[in-house]
Amino acid sequence: MSARIDRRAVVSRHDPRLTWADDAILSVGNGRFAVGVDRTGTQTFAGPGSDEERLNTLAEWGWHTMPGEPPAPWESLLRSYSSPRGPVPYLDLPEGTESPSPGAAWFRENPHKVSLMRFALVDRDGGARPSAAEITGATQHLDLWSGTIRSSFRYRGRACTVITSADPERDAIALRVEAPGLDLALSFPYGSTGWERAASWEEPDAHSTRCEGGRIRRRLDDLAYDVLVHGATAEQTDAHEVRLRASGTGDAAGTGHGASAPLRIGESAPRDGVLDVVLELVPREVPALPLPGRAEGTEGTESTESTESGAGIRARSARFWAEHWESTGVLDLGQATDPRAHELERRAVLSRYIQRVHAAGTLPPAETGLLANSWRGKFHLEMHWWHAAHFALWGDAASLRRSLDFYVSTLPSARETARRQGCRGARWPKQIGPDLHDSPSDIGPFLLWQQPHPIHLAELLRRADPAAALDPTLIEVVEQSALCLVDLLRPDGELLGLGAPLIGAQERHVEDRSRLQDPAFELAYVAWALRVADRWRSRRDARDAGELTTIARRIHSPLRADGVLSTFRAGPAMERSDHPSHLLAYGMVPPTGTIPAAAASAALDDALAEWDWDSTWGWDYPALAMTAARLRRPETAVDALLMPTVKNRCDGAGHFPQRPGLPAYLPANGGTLIALALMAAGEDDGPVSPGLPRTWGARHEGILPLPGPLTEL
């Protein structure tokens, strides 16, 4: 029996250690709340006059809507399309995304996620923030084992240290600032309707900030929250700025906590001028959110007492992260001399940290997580599988279960969408915010591949936690998802296909959405998902068990008539750009018997030789790797996952920047973890490590295999 993997060694050898020259942003958080920090451990180099969009304080409840009624009702954006079920209304944006109507623009822009505060260093005498030239010798270390960032630098020649941590449960951060000549200032922005912006500093009269001792009261129209300050004195110095100063070695006035708490990682003895502060955010009134236990207008606690000092939060963070790394999955590639192995292990470790910080809440995350806004912070349900499937595979099933509550809460809205489109069950949207209104688009409402995701995710959860099969809420989500899939099928003689209006996951045929049929990946995915949903029926001895499998057998093969795996079974020729989504039919989707391995292998080789990689996105490379792993082609899987393209670059913090305005992309992190789980743990009844070279001596613990081919009921 081999020795147990030294998890701390695997994790800690990939601690990010950054200097001023590294274009990467580190963050701390708990899955529902996170902050990004610059090299000072604060957000000094953000805010007015800065184009840096990654330094935010974001919480999943922090949504804002511009005041006033929308220019037109949401229902006015519906447009009738012909379908196998007759004329049905779909949300649409026929005039194009560049110049939407005022009504469409309003629903695309609202609600939007807002950065809740900025915490920055300011000169103690003049109150100005330091210039970049005044900060020298900056180095930063994220201790992954404790979730703590230690930032060291010199300000005007004087040594400074900032330690930044997040509470693992509350929306709170701890900052320990040893910075002679510097104080900490909090500043507060308004919401922004910009695509990638989380803050507007240009509208000071549109919101209010009021400092009442250790409580800062905030209101932005429909959003109201408090910032509780523990361990420092707070003084309002401008309409939307509050200065924090150390309280010395005695208790901070009004907080009951001083600087004499036990010291933690890298801390020196407390002394005058050391600021050890906790900033806790408490929502008072928030827009109606589909969050269990969160009611509209809920008042936050009025207490200014903290149960933790800064040192207490650092200790809680250290305990949480140590337990997280010890109790979940690990992949050890340390025996390999191939430099590709070290890079894959680095990406795995950093992706696990990033996903737990940014994507482990109750709401599905934005594609940039809680680091930055993209699509105004709204979440894309066709990306939810890429965000969340890995949690079940890497031993963190609880994080997947939390996000599945979203589907439970959204069922009434999804049922109404299905009814409007002539279907039973629930029809899941593509891009959505907490108002549960699908966002107007000429693509999103016509995508189909998000529809099987809840079935797939529930099945992965069941495999990790068999008790999930008895959860009545998950049973309902699986059943309602399957019923809608059945009714979306298109009769084609004795067989069934998928009909218009429709856009495939490749998204290259927008103008043909009124007549597209039978995208290959979606055919395979729907057929597999219906079989899985039938297994859920069989486990509860449902009278109609077997019916969904019978329907799945009638669905067209994804292959063209000549036996080639292409984008469509019949119709437009394959365009070798954007997502090579047809490969998902034999990778993300387990082999179903309708696609021979030779056809899948030929399609993979064709894509690797001919695809326009500049047009791809970060999850496409894990998709290639999954197909290669299913085909038992480990060298191809490794090379695909590490393909040296612009959108597959993993920076020093572990993020995958995609383009200007999209500086992080969580589907790439989640996809990397899903692909590595398949490459290391394989699939049901398959070989071990089918996607990793045997010479690497790969070891793993706590990683589950992915579903393999299903046998018939």
Side-chain angles (χ1 to χ4, degrees), residues 565 583 597-607 631 633:
L565 177 59
L583 297 177
S601 190
L604 176 60
D605 288 336
D606 173 82
L631 292 167
R633 295 174 54 177

Side-chain angles (χ1 to χ4, degrees), residues 121-130 181 183 185 237 241 243 245:
L121 298 172
V122 295
D123 186 79
R124 183 165 297 160
D125 295 327
R129 72 177 183 178
D183 285 332
T237 53
E241 182 176 279
R243 185 84 64 91
R245 291 186 173 89

Side-chain angles (χ1 to χ4, degrees), residues 91-319:
L91 187 67
D92 202 357
L93 195 63
E95 63 270 49
T97 58
E98 297 301 319
S99 56
S101 67
W106 194 95
F107 283 104
R108 286 164 66 86
E109 295 170 353
N110 293 289
H112 42 262
K113 190 76 70 67
V114 62
S115 186
L116 299 167
M117 71 176 178
R118 167 183 172 240
F119 49 99
L121 298 172
V122 295
D123 186 79
R124 183 165 297 160
D125 295 327
R129 72 177 183 178
S131 68
E134 292 177 304
I135 302 294
T136 59
T139 61
Q140 199 168 47
H141 172 210
L142 168 57
D143 180 12
L144 294 167
W145 199 256
S146 67
T148 301
I149 299 172
R150 182 182 179 88
S151 307
S152 301
F153 55 94
R154 301 187 78 83
Y155 172 61
R156 297 179 178 176
R158 291 170 288 188
C160 303
T161 301
V162 176
I163 299 174
T164 312
S165 299
D167 192 279
E169 296 178 357
R170 306 199 320 271
D171 301 342
I173 58 169
L175 293 161
R176 189 173 197 272
V177 182
E178 298 185 43
L182 293 170
D183 285 332
L184 194 69
L186 309 182
S187 53
F188 300 92
Y190 191 56
S192 169
T193 59
W195 187 89
E196 76 282 2
R197 294 186 68 191
S200 170
W201 301 95
E202 293 81 35
E203 302 171 82
D205 296 333
H207 55 121
S208 65
T209 303
R210 189 171 75 254
C211 183
E212 300 176 352
R215 178 184 291 267
I216 303 167
R217 314 279 294 192
R218 287 279 295 144
R219 178 169 288 279
L220 297 78
D221 306 309
D222 60 338
L223 173 63
Y225 61 97
D226 291 346
V227 179
L228 309 183
V229 178
H230 309 290
T233 58
E235 176 188 0
Q236 188 155 359
T237 53
D238 204 344
H240 300 294
E241 182 176 279
V242 174
R243 185 84 64 91
L244 305 183
R245 291 186 173 89
S247 303
T249 56
D251 283 352
T255 67
H257 295 283
S260 57
L263 298 177
R264 298 295 170 185
I265 300 166
E267 299 179 22
S268 59
R271 61 182 184 273
D272 289 346
V274 174
L275 177 66
D276 201 351
V277 63
V278 171
L279 304 174
E280 181 176 6
L281 283 74
V282 179
R284 295 199 322 272
E285 300 173 26
V286 300
L289 300 179
L291 298 172
R294 176 84 72 193
E296 183 176 6
T298 298
E299 286 290 327
T301 174
E302 291 295 322
S303 173
T304 57
E305 290 295 317
S306 173
T307 58
E308 300 286 0
S309 63
I313 284 183
R314 289 186 285 275
R316 283 160 55 82
S317 175
R319 287 194 300 270

Side-chain angles (χ1 to χ4, degrees), residues 471-519:
D471 186 329
T473 60
L474 292 182
I475 290 171
E476 185 70 3
V477 167
V478 169
E479 181 68 14
Q480 297 303 310
S481 301
L483 288 176
C484 186
L485 282 175
V486 169
D487 288 355
L488 288 170
L489 291 169
R490 171 182 59 87
D492 189 11
E494 294 298 317
L495 298 177
L496 298 169
L498 293 168
L502 177 67
I503 294 176
Q506 191 184 29
E507 298 187 10
R508 270 292 178 263
H509 304 277
V510 177
E511 295 180 357
D512 296 322
R513 61 187 181 274
S514 63
R515 55 182 178 272
L516 287 177
Q517 295 183 162
D518 296 344

